[in-house]
Amino acid sequence: MALIEVKNLEKSYRDDNVETPALRGVSFKIDSGEFVAIMGPSGSGKSTLLHILGFLDRQSGGQYLFDGKTINQYSDDELAKVRNEKMGFVFQTFNLLARTNVLDNVKLPLLYSSIPESKWESLALQAIESVGLSHRLAHESSQLSGGERQRVAIARALVMNPKIIFADEPTGNLDSKSGQAVMEIIQGLNEKEGRTVVLITHETYTAEHAQRIMKLMDGRIESDVKVAKRQKSTEFMK
């Protein structure tokens, strides 16, 4: 069974009685363990699609199934619970608390979970170690480089052991070297841990870390192809 399935997905925005379509009949499946990159220029609908897939917005038409249930079968409380426990998010702007240290930033999703507080620190430490930042535990996020901040954001996304990672332009604010390091970590999560990854990007070199590249144009899927051969991640082989 597919982890994600969308059928004829539609999304429109209305402003001053003018309706603007963002998604137009989008259909696809993503299986558990896949790494899919969704590409497209500004205005193509890729961010709108990510918001729907991540339960941050609802479609105007069509059907979205996550883990076998349609989004309409979840109550608002259930949506929030699934989003916190089964989905991890990595954003271009990091979304970290500036005056909070690395350990406490990574603990944040645990505050809204049913996991006993006695386990929070060990889970956070494990996630931080997986991105190679154990030596930065006490540093505030404002003291870190851009690449380090994004690695903290990845650790925070991992701390709940989610079924899927949504990465929205994760290298957009990074230099090429830091961006490559971040993409190797994300690719390693897929290759070594079998995590499902959905990456939103406009950068070809970033998308090439995926197993499959979907291109959107004007709210429609223009192409959806498997990547013939991708470079293996080295981050998790050290």
Side-chain angles (χ1 to χ4, degrees):
M1 183 174 62
L3 179 61
I4 281 177
E5 183 174 3
V6 298
K7 302 175 182 179
N8 298 314
L9 205 67
E10 306 270 352
K11 181 64 180 180
S12 296
Y13 296 99
R14 183 175 291 276
D15 185 30
D16 294 332
N17 294 322
V18 176
E19 190 170 283
T20 304
L23 295 174
R24 309 166 188 250
V26 173
S27 298
F28 60 87
K29 295 180 181 180
I30 297 176
D31 292 330
S32 293
E34 275 200 278
F35 184 169
V36 181
I38 300 175
M39 297 189 71
S42 179
S44 61
K46 61 185 187 297
S47 291
T48 297
L49 178 58
L50 179 73
H51 288 162
I52 293 171
L53 297 181
F55 289 179
L56 301 170
D57 198 1
R58 290 182 182 263
Q59 73 270 26
S60 304
Q63 195 173 40
Y64 170 32
L65 291 89
F66 179 81
D67 215 11
K69 288 177 63 175
T70 69
I71 189 171
N72 295 329
Q73 290 177 289
Y74 292 96
S75 68
D76 287 343
D77 286 345
E78 286 174 330
L79 287 176
K81 182 178 175 65
V82 170
R83 191 164 53 237
N84 187 52
E85 295 182 357
K86 295 186 178 182
M87 299 175 175
F89 295 89
V90 181
F91 297 102
Q92 178 178 347
T93 52
F94 318 132
N95 291 356
L96 302 178
L97 300 179
R99 297 183 179 276
T100 303
N101 67 31
V102 168
L103 182 61
D104 288 338
N105 262 296
V106 173
K107 282 182 182 179
L108 280 175
L110 298 165
L111 272 63
Y112 307 99
S113 75
S114 58
I115 296 172
E117 188 174 353
S118 59
K119 295 183 178 181
W120 291 359
E121 184 155 331
S122 63
L123 290 171
L125 289 172
Q126 183 179 346
I128 293 165
E129 182 179 359
S130 74
V131 298
L133 282 180
S134 297
H135 61 296
R136 294 292 219 176
L137 289 178
H139 286 71
E140 294 182 356
S141 61
S142 58
Q143 298 172 310
L144 305 178
S145 68
E148 287 173 330
R149 284 184 224 175
Q150 195 59 291
R151 285 155 70 185
V152 175
I154 293 170
R156 183 184 58 193
L158 292 174
V159 76
M160 291 292 296
N161 193 27
K163 287 195 169 188
I164 188 167
I165 300 290
F166 292 109
D168 189 2
E169 300 280 6
T171 62
N173 283 337
L174 305 178
D175 59 63
S176 58
K177 184 177 179 180
S178 297
Q180 178 67 19
V182 163
M183 285 311 305
E184 287 196 359
I185 289 173
I186 291 173
Q187 186 177 338
L189 295 174
N190 174 251
E191 288 179 353
K192 303 301 176 184
E193 300 185 15
R195 294 191 188 269
T196 309
V197 178
V198 175
L199 167 73
I200 300 294
T201 184
H202 66 276
E203 299 166 329
T204 301
Y205 86 90
T206 303
E208 287 174 348
H209 287 267
Q211 300 165 331
R212 173 181 163 197
I213 299 177
M214 187 186 306
K215 293 185 179 179
L216 292 185
M217 180 65 71
D218 298 328
R220 295 186 174 93
I221 296 178
E222 187 178 56
S223 64
D224 186 353
V225 297
K226 297 279 188 179
V227 175
K229 185 179 180 181
R230 61 176 182 171
Q231 181 180 352
K232 283 190 174 293
S233 167
T234 58
E235 181 69 26
F236 281 61
M237 297 180 179
K238 294 176 182 177

